[in-house]
Amino acid sequence: MFGVRLHVEFFNSSGELIADAEAMAVFGRLEVERPAPFLMLAEVDPSAVQSYEIGVSYDDFSIIEFRDLEVSAVAVVERDGRTAIVGRLHNRHETALTSVVVAATFFDDTGEVVDVVELSMFGETITPGADLLFEIPLQDLGRAFTNLRVQAQGQLSLF
């Protein structure tokens, strides 16, 4: 699937629509059975929400080709009073990748998603067999996390 879009409608106890929100999945291409991070913010009082409906739309094809990058050496570090996620990306493909996107999904001790942050490295190219370091600065996450998953994807470079 390509260009996955989510639309959520929130309803109160009377069944009235009280808010809606939309978001795009972080990555341009989603593989079967692969989790896809997204962040959706809605202006709604959580205590007023009785139910919600999620709609998902996507494209069957894309003129852009995407490839996943291997992620390793992930660590949460403190630098100059700031917290960041650092790590290494590896391009195991036979072609260069550009427009790299790195996403970190944070989970609490029950496995619930706490937050999603992403880093777009649009000026970077990672050649076949090469490594690329990344650093994602973190703002206040708002809730404590106990685990995180980092994923990355790049676009096939045509030049």
Side-chain angles (χ1 to χ4, degrees):
M1 297 186 292
F2 301 91
V4 175
R5 300 167 297 281
L6 298 103
H7 180 89
V8 179
E9 294 179 323
F10 299 93
F11 302 93
N12 64 17
S13 59
S14 301
E16 298 170 332
L17 177 68
I18 55 174
D20 67 341
E22 292 188 12
M24 294 286 295
V26 171
F27 300 120
R29 181 190 78 193
L30 302 182
E31 296 289 334
V32 174
E33 299 293 325
R34 182 169 186 242
F38 68 91
L39 177 63
M40 181 181 294
L41 301 174
E43 294 286 329
V44 63
D45 175 5
S47 65
V49 176
Q50 177 65 33
S51 64
Y52 58 89
E53 293 180 8
I54 301 175
V56 178
S57 60
Y58 57 90
D59 298 321
D60 292 328
F61 67 93
S62 172
I63 60 171
I64 301 170
E65 291 192 42
F66 300 90
R67 301 286 186 272
D68 293 338
L69 292 160
E70 291 179 10
V71 179
S72 64
V74 173
V76 178
V77 299
E78 293 284 334
R79 290 193 180 150
D80 301 323
R82 298 177 329 174
T83 305
I85 300 171
V86 297
R88 174 177 287 116
L89 306 176
H90 178 73
N91 182 358
R92 59 180 164 72
H93 305 286
E94 295 179 6
T95 184
L97 299 174
T98 62
S99 301
V100 173
V101 177
V102 182
T105 307
F106 297 88
F107 302 90
D108 66 15
D109 57 356
T110 66
E112 183 178 329
V113 174
V114 172
D115 204 350
V116 174
V117 295
E118 66 180 275
L119 172 68
S120 297
M121 303 170 71
F122 292 118
E124 298 287 343
T125 297
I126 182 170
T127 57
D131 291 339
L132 179 65
L133 300 177
F134 70 87
E135 180 173 330
I136 305 173
L138 297 178
Q139 305 300 323
D140 178 31
L141 292 177
R143 290 174 40 197
F145 69 95
T146 57
N147 194 13
L148 68 104
R149 177 178 55 234
V150 178
Q151 300 165 272
Q153 189 175 87
Q155 295 181 12
L156 193 65
S157 176
L158 303 175
F159 306 100

